[in-house]
Amino acid sequence: VKMNVLHWHLVDDHSFPYESYTFPKLSARGSYSPSDAVYTQLDIKTVIEYARSRGIRVMPEFDTPGHTLSWGQGYPNLLTQCYSGDKPNGHFGPLDPISNTTYDFMELLVKEVAHVFPDKAVHFGGDEVDFKCWASNPKIQQFMQNM
């Protein structure tokens, strides 16, 4: 069996090394090092072309809604505020599922990724979400009860 897909897990909780032209603070603040630990748009085009010339598709992965703590370094309003009892505890969890700004942000990011990567598939994860923060947040609990 010939496997001709590079499933490129670009970002994770600890670092956001993808250089987004729509949201530059993602890598500027969320990568290990903005000066030498970021995949620039040119790097990405080079990888895609190298793979294409060898018959390999490049499918990017932006794991959401979990594994997004690095996203909050540049855009903290994207993440869910965790609570201890009835008070915020200073910790943050996965993307905030009840904020319209989260969906607006994701729509723009998806459009960018679809433009940058020619493959028809993009993997957005959806696995390994730690639900404790959502369960601790009274606004999210209210939202879930109203569904």
Side-chain angles (χ1 to χ4, degrees):
V1 172
K2 180 178 177 181
M3 303 297 285
N4 66 341
V5 179
L6 170 61
H7 182 147
W8 194 357
H9 191 125
L10 280 163
V11 303
D12 213 325
D13 261 342
H14 306 291
S15 184
F16 198 103
Y18 168 79
E19 179 187 62
S20 170
Y21 56 79
T22 306
F23 300 105
K25 288 190 278 185
L26 285 170
S27 62
R29 296 187 182 163
S31 68
Y32 284 125
S33 171
S35 62
D36 62 0
V38 171
Y39 297 114
T40 66
Q41 291 293 312
L42 180 58
D43 293 335
I44 292 165
K45 286 178 184 174
T46 301
V47 168
I48 291 169
E49 179 53 29
Y50 184 86
R52 186 205 60 76
S53 70
R54 287 154 179 80
I56 300 168
R57 297 170 36 219
V58 177
M59 179 181 65
E61 179 176 349
F62 292 79
D63 204 356
T64 62
H67 298 279
T68 53
L69 292 180
S70 64
W71 303 34
Q73 298 300 314
Y75 300 91
N77 62 323
L78 291 173
L79 302 181
T80 300
Q81 173 69 62
C82 303
Y83 280 68
S84 292
D86 61 349
K87 296 188 189 309
N89 63 17
H91 295 284
F92 293 88
L95 292 179
D96 187 342
I98 62 171
S99 172
N100 287 334
T101 58
T102 300
Y103 297 98
D104 296 340
F105 180 96
M106 287 304 299
E107 179 180 7
L108 293 174
L109 183 61
V110 168
K111 285 180 181 177
E112 174 184 328
V113 169
H115 177 75
V116 171
F117 290 88
D119 200 79
K120 293 179 182 174
V122 176
H123 186 201
F124 284 101
D127 62 334
E128 301 174 337
V129 179
D130 185 349
F131 296 106
K132 288 182 275 192
C133 186
W134 284 347
S136 76
N137 186 299
K139 293 177 186 173
I140 292 176
Q141 288 302 304
Q142 185 64 47
F143 171 79
M144 291 171 62
Q145 289 174 1
N146 292 340
M147 287 184 66

